[in-house]
């Protein structure tokens, strides 16, 4: 049993030159490092506003009236529209968790960094000038609220940097995609682009670097070093499954790509999906997670009264990126282990939930650190005092122990037995996953969504360990 996969610090400053050289305008450094030094309510002069010529321009760089909106594409591309509509890409600006976090960041920086969180969630709105300091979601244009819509992706002409919305858009140009020699249409010109068959297309939004230089999300960086990249296996092969069908009702049959973009997220906002759509999406998420990791348990027989050493190994079966990946700081992936003796007494447990539905870590209101053995996979932020922190922009460090592709890690749990216990000891272990922790929703003032959080069991296993009288 190996322990090859050591915890590492995520904040290798991959993009330091960029972060300090281009995005941070001179004079902004102090204001960023110390949010309390910014004056609330004051209208900052333009030069104080965080900007980037490509993804957060000070002056509009595109005209939002040139976009037709997803519904218009749906007239011909019915399946693509139906699938995309239920995806997290269409949820990107609706998401109440996103909106609540953006609001807190807006307050922390008094409007000076208001475009930062919008770069990828609405590249159209950020570039059209719709997103301005102090903006409110309710007042945005409908095209901005469509989030990552059809035209956002299908106008991408090149990727200028593989993170922080480094995508160049050719507005008014042809619809670019994977079809060579697409049949002509009155609605738009078509152009084949190999970018659409490549992970690079996804990189610029899926790798996120905070203004401070902290790496927040890095599935593309992980993929680059993974066996999948060596075997030319792209993000699309798992997140955009192929099927045979017609791109429009009158087109000929060809290989198409599902636009559900299945991940781990399910919309918390009720009404975003119909009950049936939600259930179908829940199944797709469960299927993606199913088999993405394997647990193995190993223990030897002990005598009553002795300590049982349980070796728990978790292996990431995903060939392309870590488990978890992406927004690992919000995700919870943990081991639940429960041991019972032959008289059904629970003699040991870890990874169970407290009365608020939280794990027994730092954030438990019931009993902070009440679960001393808790094993979690993912990442967490700490602030300048080393204290855990929820928000990336208040964090100094980002620590990750998520599992690398095809790697496993073993932990040992020490299970006490009593002198009069009867064997065998029955041990059940589950690797559990949820997109959000209840405490985060409470901190954000969104307790009404706590009951909507789904827990998925990625894998489960049980063993019986004999108790041999000494
Ligand atoms: C009037 C019908 C119609 C409308 C409306 C329409 N398209 Fe198309 N589109 C087509 C046809 C026809 C094709 C070619 C399909 C084929 O060859 O199988 C096509 C092809 C495409 C392709 C593939 C291009 C390539 O070469 O890979 C993309 C991407 C695309 N459309 C996106 C869009 C988007 C985005 C919208 C909305 C802004 C849209 N379409 C609106 C008819 C339409
Ligand atoms: C071999 C199949 C496979 C490939 C290829 C793949 N993924 Fe994934 N992806 C998964 C599985 C399985 C999950 C669910 C487990 C997890 O969250 O890690 C997932 C989850 C995700 C999530 C949600 C993570 C979270 O917890 O919030 C994102 C985002 C994602 N993948 C992006 C990408 C990107 C970007 C690429 C290409 C660079 C990619 N994936 C390539 C299988 C794959
Ligand atoms: C997140 C980016 C993204 C969004 C949003 C998106 N697409 Fe696509 N689309 C792609 C990619 C990538 C491919 C090609 C996948 C491949 O070849 O591996 C594709 C392929 C297509 C194709 C070619 C046929 C096929 O299925 O391969 C059409 C048509 C299309 N998309 C239409 C749409 C429409 C209509 C919408 C909105 C309702 C939309 N797309 C939203 C990324 C996107
Ligand atoms: C223009 C930016 C952009 C591009 C390009 C983009 N994405 Fe996304 N993607 C997002 C955003 C933003 C979200 C999260 C929306 C939310 O949950 O609020 C997301 C969510 C997802 C999810 C769901 C994650 C979850 O936790 O459920 C998957 C899977 C995904 N994207 C895959 C892809 C793949 C594959 C590509 C490339 C073909 C791609 N994306 C290209 C911005 C983008
Ligand atoms: C570089 C592009 C990019 C930027 C900038 C960005 N996001 Fe996202 N965001 C994404 C992608 C991609 C996902 C999907 C990741 C996943 O599901 O693992 C996402 C998902 C989310 C989600 C929903 C899923 C989750 O659990 O986190 C929230 C909330 C969110 N982002 C908040 C923010 C906030 C707040 C900011 C500003 C501090 C921000 N984002 C800046 C690309 C971006």
């Amino acid at each position: 049993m190996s322990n090859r996969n050591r915890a590492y610090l995520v904040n290798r400053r991959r993009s330091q030159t960029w972060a300090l050289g281009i995005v941070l305008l001179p004079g902004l450094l102090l204001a960023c490092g110390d949010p309390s030094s910014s004056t609330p309510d004051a209208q900052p002069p333009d030069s104080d506003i965080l900007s980037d010529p490509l993804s957060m321009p000070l002056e509009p760089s595109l005209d939002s009236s040139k976009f037709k909106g997803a519904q218009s594409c749906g007239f011909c591309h019915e399946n693509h529209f139906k699938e995309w509509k239920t995806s997290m890409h269409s949820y990107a600006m609706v998401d109440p968790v996103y909106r609540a976090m953006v609001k807190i960041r807006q307050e922390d920086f008094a409007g000076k960094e208001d475009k930062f969180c919008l770069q990828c969630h609405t590249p159209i709105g950020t570039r059209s000038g719709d997103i301005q300091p102090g903006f409110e979601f309710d007042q945005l244009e409908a095209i901005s609220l469509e989030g990552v819509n059809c035209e956002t992706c299908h106008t991408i002409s090149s990727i200028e940097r593989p993170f922080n919305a480094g995508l160049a858009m050719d507005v008014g140009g042809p619809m670019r995609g994977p079809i060579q020699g697409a049949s002509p249409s009155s609605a738009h010109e078509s152009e084949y682009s190999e970018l659409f068959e490549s992970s690079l297309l996804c990189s610029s939004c899926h790798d996120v670097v905070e203004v401070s230089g902290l790496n927040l999300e890095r599935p593309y960086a992980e993929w680059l070093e993974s066996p999948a990249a060596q075997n030319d296996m792209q993000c699309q092969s798992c997140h955009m499954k192929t099927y045979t069908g017609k791109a429009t009702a009158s087109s000929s049959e060809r290989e198409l790509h599902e636009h559900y973009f299945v991940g781990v997220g399910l919309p918390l906002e009720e009404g975003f999906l119909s009950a049936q759509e939600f259930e179908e999406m829940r199944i797709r998420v469960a299927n993606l997670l199913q088999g993405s990791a394997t647990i193995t348990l190993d223990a030897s027989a002990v005598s009553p009264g002795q300590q049982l050493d349980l070796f728990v190994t978790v292996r990431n079966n995903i060939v392309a990126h870590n488990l978890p990946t992406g927004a690992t700081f919000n995700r919870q992936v943990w081991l639940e282990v429960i041991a019972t003796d032959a008289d059904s007494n629970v003699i040991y447990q870890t990874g169970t939930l407290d009365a608020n539905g939280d794990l027994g870590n730092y954030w438990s209101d019931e009993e902070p650190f009440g679960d001393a053995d808790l094993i979690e996979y993912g990442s967490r932020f700490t602030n300048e005092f080393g204290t855990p922190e929820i928000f990336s922009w208040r964090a100094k460090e980002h620590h990750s122990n998520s599992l690398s592709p095809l790697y496993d890690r073993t932990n040992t749990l020490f299970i006490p037995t009593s002198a009069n216990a009867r064997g065998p000891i029955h041990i059940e272990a589950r690797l559990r996953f949820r997109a959000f922790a209840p405490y985060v929703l409470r901190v954000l003032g969104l307790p009404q969504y706590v009951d909507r959080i789904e827990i998925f069991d990625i894998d489960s296993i049980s063993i019986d360990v004999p108790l041999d009288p000494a």
Side-chain angles (χ1 to χ4, degrees):
M1 256 166 273
S2 63
N3 191 355
R4 292 168 289 171
N5 195 31
R6 301 255 156 76
Y8 64 96
L9 270 181
V10 187
N11 64 343
R12 280 183 258 147
R13 301 208 163 199
R14 177 166 49 131
S15 62
Q16 195 170 46
T17 350
W18 162 79
L20 299 181
I22 300 175
V23 155
L24 289 186
L25 297 168
L28 195 70
L29 270 171
L30 273 177
C32 287
D34 179 9
S36 60
S37 70
S38 54
T39 30
D41 300 331
Q43 270 302 334
D46 271 4
S47 63
D48 261 14
I49 291 177
L50 181 72
S51 69
D52 172 84
L54 179 62
S55 60
M56 301 183 280
L58 286 171
E59 297 298 328
S61 62
L62 58 76
D63 176 359
S64 64
S65 71
K66 291 244 167 73
F67 294 89
K68 300 193 186 112
Q71 182 82 57
S72 84
C73 318
F75 287 130
C76 296
H77 303 295
E78 221 178 303
N79 284 351
H80 293 85
F81 176 72
K82 251 187 11 221
E83 293 163 3
W84 167 83
K85 192 76 198 90
T86 66
S87 77
M88 299 311 272
H89 284 143
S90 103
Y91 185 64
M93 287 289 287
V94 179
D95 188 345
V97 180
Y98 172 70
R99 289 187 174 204
M101 285 189 175
V102 168
K103 199 119 205 98
I104 292 171
R105 190 180 166 120
Q106 284 186 298
E107 284 160 15
D108 275 8
F109 293 107
K112 290 182 186 179
E113 297 196 359
D114 277 14
K115 291 183 182 172
F116 182 77
C117 299
L118 283 291
Q119 294 172 88
C120 309
H121 288 251
T122 173
I124 295 176
T126 317
R127 296 168 190 213
S128 71
D130 197 21
I131 307 301
Q132 289 297 335
F135 80 90
E136 299 211 18
F137 281 95
D138 292 342
Q139 288 163 11
L140 296 179
E141 290 178 25
I143 195 78
S144 303
L145 293 173
E146 276 194 1
V148 184
N149 67 0
C150 320
E151 291 158 288
T152 302
C153 284
H154 287 291
T155 58
I156 297 178
S157 52
S158 65
I159 300 298
E160 301 298 317
R161 61 171 180 254
F163 55 95
N164 287 23
L167 49 99
M169 292 162 80
D170 174 19
V171 183
M175 287 298 126
R176 292 171 163 81
I179 303 178
Q180 310 205 27
S183 20
S185 151
S186 55
H188 59 78
E189 311 250 290
S190 292
E191 189 176 300
Y192 168 74
S193 163
E194 60 182 7
L195 194 52
F196 284 78
E197 297 167 330
S198 150
S199 296
L200 189 61
L201 183 82
C202 323
S203 67
S204 69
C205 293
H206 276 273
D207 281 21
V208 191
V209 182
E210 186 44 277
V211 175
S212 64
L214 277 191
N215 282 313
L216 303 184
E217 301 178 19
R218 50 197 303 282
Y220 178 72
E222 291 160 7
W223 175 83
L224 280 177
E225 294 170 6
S226 76
Q230 283 150 31
N231 293 313
D232 200 23
M233 183 192 212
Q234 316 295 320
C235 317
Q236 287 86 331
S237 60
C238 297
H239 293 290
M240 298 185 80
K241 288 264 162 64
T242 56
Y243 64 101
T244 305
K246 297 175 176 180
T248 73
S250 55
S251 304
S252 39
E253 285 209 332
R254 60 165 78 252
E255 180 179 88
L256 301 177
H257 297 86
E258 283 184 2
H259 275 55
Y260 293 117
F261 300 98
V262 183
V264 301
L266 283 169
L268 294 176
E269 185 68 48
E270 241 164 308
F272 180 75
L273 298 181
S274 70
Q276 192 194 333
E277 285 167 339
F278 186 88
E279 182 52 21
E280 287 168 5
M281 188 160 174
R282 204 186 59 74
I283 292 168
R284 283 192 296 272
V285 171
N287 287 342
L288 182 76
L289 284 170
Q290 183 76 50
S292 62
T294 310
I295 315 175
T296 44
L297 298 179
D298 190 17
S300 311
V302 292
S303 311
Q306 280 188 330
Q307 170 183 288
L308 189 161
D309 295 350
L310 177 69
F311 300 98
V312 189
T313 302
V314 173
R315 177 182 193 268
N316 173 12
N317 296 330
I318 306 167
V319 63
H321 55 60
N322 288 14
L323 176 79
T325 189
T328 47
F329 40 89
N330 281 335
R331 307 295 177 232
Q332 287 196 313
V333 185
W334 75 98
L335 266 172
E336 181 199 75
V337 178
I338 299 175
T340 42
D341 66 18
D343 298 310
S344 300
N345 301 310
V346 173
I347 61 167
Y348 176 89
Q349 58 183 10
T350 177
T352 49
L353 304 177
D354 70 15
N356 296 318
D358 284 311
L359 292 168
N361 58 19
Y362 172 87
W363 297 101
S364 168
D365 286 338
E366 291 276 301
E367 195 190 349
F369 297 119
D371 189 345
D373 287 357
L374 181 63
I375 300 169
E376 291 187 80
Y377 304 89
S379 72
R380 64 188 171 89
F381 296 125
T382 50
N383 64 19
E384 60 194 294
F385 308 109
T387 310
E389 171 58 61
I390 292 177
F391 302 112
S392 59
W393 58 94
R394 295 181 188 169
K396 184 140 187 294
E397 287 187 332
H398 189 189
H399 313 266
S400 171
N401 73 347
S402 79
L403 293 162
S404 301
L406 307 184
Y407 273 58
D408 61 64
R409 187 184 305 139
T410 301
N411 288 82
T412 314
L413 295 174
F414 304 114
I415 300 177
T417 67
S418 69
N420 52 8
R422 286 199 314 123
I425 304 296
H426 181 68
I427 301 171
E428 292 195 8
R430 296 194 280 185
L431 184 67
R432 317 204 77 190
F433 188 111
R434 64 182 170 189
F436 291 106
Y439 72 82
V440 171
L441 298 185
R442 289 200 304 275
V443 168
L444 291 172
L446 303 170
Q448 69 272 31
Y449 295 115
V450 168
D451 289 342
R452 298 260 296 170
I453 303 173
E454 298 266 340
I455 298 181
F456 295 93
D457 287 331
I458 297 181
D459 193 24
S460 58
I461 188 172
S462 65
I463 53 168
D464 286 313
V465 184
L467 271 190
D468 294 336

